[in-house]
Structures are given as C-alpha cells and as structure tokens.
Amino acid sequence: MNNINLESERLTFKRVSNEHITNEYVSWINDPEVNMYLETRGNYTLELLKAYVEEQYNNEVFFWAIHLKGIKKHIGNIKIDPIDYKTSFGNYGILMGDKSNWGKGYAKEATLRILDYCFNEIKLSKVKLGVIEDNDKAVGLYKNIGFKIDGVTKNIGVYNNKLCNSLSMSLHVKDFK
C-alpha cells in the first residue's frame, strides 16, 4: 500500500495515526452539529477513537488527517475505503470536524486532491459515496465537483430529527476535471 502524505495549496494530508487521537477529535464526533448527517452519532471516548484509528491503520486504509499548512492544525479527515481493486472502485468519506474552518473551501480542496490521487495514482476508475439527501452543503459540493446521483434509498434513518433518504453518488475518472 502506498498511503503517503499529500498536500494541496492550503492543506496537508497525513495518514491518520495515534498522534490524531485527541480530545478535540472526540469532541467533533460528539458534537451534534458536526455529526448531524453521519452514521456516527456521538457517545465516543478516547478509547473508542483509539480502537477505531488503530483498526484503520492496521488495515492500511487510505485515511488521511486534513491539516492546515503552516500551523499544522488538524481540521478533519478524509478516506477512500473500501477499495475494490477488481472493479477499480473506491468509496469516499470526509469529516470536517473543526467548525471554525467550515465555509472556507477546505472540503472542496481536500476532496479534489484526494480524487486526483485516487484517479491518477491508485488508478481507480470510479469513486462512490453515500450522503444524506438533506445534507444540502455536501450534496451541493459533490454535484459541483461532478458526482452524479446513481440512486436514492428511501427512509434510511433519522437525521437532524427527520426521517431522511440517502443518495448514492459516483464520479468516473473520465468526468473528473
């Protein structure tokens, strides 16, 4: 596996490891505003986070911490997992945990950099994701990047106190700009 550190204009991407197991990271996962549309809904502890990070690390998952360049502040995570090497498809996920850095374009910058890595280095042909339909900012970001809706799963669960649908979206290498 070639899970290397990467960078973009304003960000660095470092493989998530024990150094990222912090109270701040736990606070993101437990923050109702951050986890509103995530499967993980809080009740996390440092011990649970440690077990999760170690599992991802030991399984050599493509899982990066997103850091601001210069100050090296950890503001979120991004991953491609699982990867099906037979079909050359990977599943994408992102968590922008540091709310003070929301709305600054970091999620788009991070997504574009990781997609570039997936398509040009790992040689994936398609990246897929699932997103709660009501998560307007995320859906808008993915559409802006070029992801297309492949399907809708109705009534997937309660998010933000409402029964919601889930969108399956994908981006093919030929459509990546």
Side-chain angles (χ1 to χ4, degrees), residues 38-125:
L38 301 177
E39 290 177 21
T40 303
R41 302 281 183 84
N43 296 317
Y44 246 70
T45 64
L46 277 172
E47 294 76 27
L48 288 171
L49 179 60
K50 184 177 191 300
Y52 173 72
V53 167
E54 287 178 353
E55 176 186 15
Q56 302 301 300
Y57 192 89
N58 291 336
N59 289 331
E60 297 187 349
V61 170
F62 285 96
F63 184 31
W64 295 273
I66 304 167
H67 292 264
L68 295 176
K69 269 188 182 174
I71 61 173
K72 299 183 171 103
K73 181 180 174 134
H74 181 202
I75 63 169
N77 301 319
I78 192 166
K79 73 186 223 174
I80 303 295
D81 178 63
I83 294 175
D84 183 334
Y85 288 98
K86 288 181 181 177
T87 60
S88 298
F89 295 175
N91 284 4
Y92 160 97
I94 190 169
L95 165 70
M96 296 304 293
D98 182 4
K99 294 190 295 189
S100 69
N101 283 291
W102 285 5
K104 296 181 179 178
Y106 294 132
K108 181 176 184 178
E109 183 176 333
T111 300
L112 289 171
R113 179 62 184 103
I114 296 306
L115 288 171
D116 179 70
Y117 181 75
C118 288
F119 292 136
N120 294 309
E121 301 296 324
I122 306 174
K123 303 297 185 193
L124 296 181
S125 62

Side-chain angles (χ1 to χ4, degrees), residues 20-54:
H20 298 102
I21 301 168
T22 63
N23 285 320
E24 182 178 32
Y25 188 167
V26 170
S27 74
W28 298 343
I29 300 168
N30 291 331
D31 184 322
E33 193 175 6
V34 173
N35 71 36
M36 182 182 312
Y37 295 110
L38 301 177
E39 290 177 21
T40 303
R41 302 281 183 84
N43 296 317
Y44 246 70
T45 64
L46 277 172
E47 294 76 27
L48 288 171
L49 179 60
K50 184 177 191 300
Y52 173 72
V53 167
E54 287 178 353

Side-chain angles (χ1 to χ4, degrees), residues 75-174:
I75 63 169
N77 301 319
I78 192 166
K79 73 186 223 174
I80 303 295
D81 178 63
I83 294 175
D84 183 334
Y85 288 98
K86 288 181 181 177
T87 60
S88 298
F89 295 175
N91 284 4
Y92 160 97
I94 190 169
L95 165 70
M96 296 304 293
D98 182 4
K99 294 190 295 189
S100 69
N101 283 291
W102 285 5
K104 296 181 179 178
Y106 294 132
K108 181 176 184 178
E109 183 176 333
T111 300
L112 289 171
R113 179 62 184 103
I114 296 306
L115 288 171
D116 179 70
Y117 181 75
C118 288
F119 292 136
N120 294 309
E121 301 296 324
I122 306 174
K123 303 297 185 193
L124 296 181
S125 62
K126 181 163 83 170
V127 172
K128 303 184 290 186
L129 63 85
V131 62
I132 299 303
E133 187 175 37
D134 287 21
N135 189 346
D136 296 330
K137 288 183 182 178
V139 172
L141 169 66
Y142 303 142
K143 285 181 175 179
N144 178 268
I145 288 171
F147 281 85
K148 304 289 186 227
I149 297 172
D150 298 323
V152 178
T153 304
K154 299 282 187 190
N155 303 323
I156 195 82
V158 176
Y159 294 85
N160 196 22
N161 300 311
K162 178 182 169 199
L163 189 58
C164 294
N165 300 329
S166 176
L167 302 177
S168 298
M169 301 180 79
S170 66
L171 177 65
H172 291 265
V173 65
K174 64 180 174 52

